[in-house]
Amino acid sequence: MLKKSTRHHTETAQTKAPFNGKRFSNLPNPEITKPSRKTYLSFIWRMIGYSRERITIPDGHVLNPDDAAAKMRAFHASETDCATWLGQACFLLRINGKTILTDPYLSPYASPFPFAGPKRFVDPGIRLSDLPPLDYLVLSHNHYDHLDARTIRAIQGKSDITVIVPLRLGNYFKKRGFSRVIEMDWWDRFEENDIQITALPSQHWSKRTPFDRNKTLWASFAFKHDATSIYFTGDTGYGPLFKEIGKLEGPFDYTLVGIGAYEPRAIMKAHHTTPEEAVKIAQDVKAKTIVGMHWGTVRLTDEPLFEPPGRFLQAATKEGYDPENIWIMSIGESRKLN
């Protein structure tokens, strides 16, 4: 039976998402400054140029879809808790016999157009048609590389899926055939099937049109049951909020954290973490294992496309994480949890 999402902890120990009646905003962060117009314009010009680049994909970065699907099915058939990375921030999680899909972006373009915009340079690793029936669909925010309309349209079994989204994003899914939709503010919690899903703060923004900037909320999420606890950051910049999350919700067995899309820092510092900042988040939330995501899928920023994992491995090792607790996954790869 569904339980209504509820707030927990004392009100002095948590902060709702700032909202002025029209738009949401981030928690205060004195390290964030606004970049100049010139910085933005030069960045946009470079991004246009990247559309013509030739990309060499390293061996093993993307698995054969048939082999990847077979491995994923074997984990699910054995009732093993597991995580499958489909690129960017899209994970298929199996927890306590239930499947959770995060931030589904499985079509070619991160764009409102089916033929233009930032394009995936790798396939998802597992075809959407090969995924098992979903129990939960969890969205961190509405950007096109996280909320992909073509993927949403193609998902089957909409009447059996519970969609969990930040505030004011629910109507998007109700209009597209999902009947069980739950909107959550930061620190709201949903419980069902011995699984807890808690919406937590992040430092980002939202926008799908020129007119709706920050009209829907963004969030990170904690997934917990007796055997496994996972923290999913969604998209975020680094800020003091993660120490508070670690204090109130940690420790976590796993943290799924963005390690790509971080240059130029003048623009991206407020919205995306470097590999080194990703490790700081894992430390703040008291994570045993760090899983890198949001890299190696689509060109969104300036840094070399395959630079993030090397920096991530180096930073995590420097901070004392053992190699088996630093996950750099292939796209389509499934790994056992606990």
Side-chain angles (χ1 to χ4, degrees):
M1 180 176 180
L2 284 173
K3 292 185 180 180
K4 182 180 179 181
S5 63
T6 57
R7 297 185 64 77
H8 59 293
H9 306 302
T10 63
E11 287 298 325
T12 57
Q14 56 189 315
T15 303
K16 290 185 179 183
F19 183 60
N20 66 7
K22 291 184 178 180
R23 300 180 192 274
F24 295 94
S25 58
N26 286 302
L27 297 172
N29 186 342
E31 294 189 7
I32 302 305
T33 58
K34 187 176 181 179
S36 67
R37 181 183 293 270
K38 181 180 179 181
T39 300
Y40 270 116
L41 291 176
S42 62
F43 172 64
I44 292 170
W45 182 251
R46 291 194 302 276
M47 289 304 297
I48 294 172
Y50 288 137
S51 64
R52 298 186 294 272
E53 71 178 328
R54 293 185 177 181
I55 299 171
T56 300
I57 310 301
D59 291 342
H61 179 54
V62 186
L63 301 185
N64 175 280
D66 295 323
D67 295 341
K71 181 68 174 292
M72 178 268 296
R73 290 192 192 102
F75 273 135
H76 284 244
S78 65
E79 300 186 353
T80 301
D81 283 5
C82 59
T84 302
W85 187 41
L86 302 176
Q88 209 63 349
C90 185
F91 282 87
L92 181 73
L93 305 174
R94 187 185 190 278
I95 303 174
N96 197 33
K98 300 298 179 181
T99 55
I100 302 170
L101 187 68
T102 68
D103 287 7
Y105 162 48
L106 302 176
S107 72
Y109 290 94
S111 164
F113 310 108
F115 50 82
K119 185 179 182 180
R120 291 183 74 119
F121 52 81
V122 290
D123 292 330
I126 296 179
R127 292 175 286 265
L128 179 61
S129 59
D130 286 333
L131 295 184
L134 303 178
D135 296 294
Y136 302 100
L137 183 62
V138 178
L139 273 290
S140 67
H141 66 295
N142 71 357
H143 286 159
Y144 287 97
D145 60 320
H146 296 258
L147 171 51
D148 173 38
R150 289 170 288 281
T151 301
I152 295 299
R153 185 166 54 246
I155 287 175
Q156 300 297 306
K158 291 180 173 63
S159 61
D160 299 321
I161 299 171
T162 299
V163 180
I164 297 177
V165 296
L167 293 178
R168 300 204 165 193
L169 194 51
N171 281 340
Y172 182 95
F173 291 89
K174 291 176 183 177
K175 291 177 180 178
R176 287 158 178 80
F178 294 89
S179 54
R180 308 175 76 200
V181 180
I182 297 173
E183 291 189 355
M184 299 175 75
D185 197 353
W186 295 345
W187 302 105
D188 284 350
R189 175 175 289 167
F190 167 79
E191 297 183 53
E192 185 182 50
N193 298 311
D194 295 323
I195 297 173
Q196 295 178 352
I197 300 177
T198 305
L200 296 167
S202 63
Q203 181 181 284
H204 203 57
W205 58 298
S206 65
K207 182 179 179 181
R208 287 182 76 82
T209 75
F211 314 105
D212 67 343
R213 184 181 178 92
N214 294 348
K215 288 189 175 182
T216 65
L217 185 57
W218 47 95
S220 59
F221 286 90
F223 307 110
K224 295 183 179 181
H225 79 104
D226 290 343
T228 306
S229 60
I230 301 171
Y231 179 53
F232 171 67
T233 67
D235 271 5
T236 186
Y238 181 73
L241 61 95
F242 295 105
K243 285 186 170 65
E244 188 75 356
I245 291 172
K247 177 182 176 182
L248 297 175
E249 287 291 321
F252 291 95
D253 297 314
Y254 303 89
T255 286
L256 317 179
V257 59
I259 65 172
Y262 47 79
E263 293 290 350
R265 294 310 289 151
I267 296 175
M268 296 300 161
K269 183 176 178 62
H271 314 303
H272 296 145
T273 48
T274 63
E276 295 76 18
E277 289 171 332
V279 174
K280 288 175 67 177
I281 288 177
Q283 291 177 301
D284 287 352
V285 303
K286 307 171 187 176
K288 179 180 178 181
T289 296
I290 321 176
V291 184
M293 67 173 186
H294 204 265
W295 72 279
T297 306
V298 57
R299 163 72 80 179
L300 297 174
T301 47
D302 279 337
E303 77 275 0
L305 291 171
F306 296 97
E307 175 184 89
R311 285 179 55 174
F312 175 57
L313 178 61
Q314 183 178 30
T317 302
K318 182 179 178 181
E319 294 301 329
Y321 281 89
D322 293 330
E324 63 266 25
N325 297 120
I326 309 167
W327 286 15
I328 301 169
M329 299 177 72
S330 299
I331 294 177
E333 182 181 357
S334 298
R335 293 195 186 185
K336 180 180 178 180
L337 300 176
N338 289 331

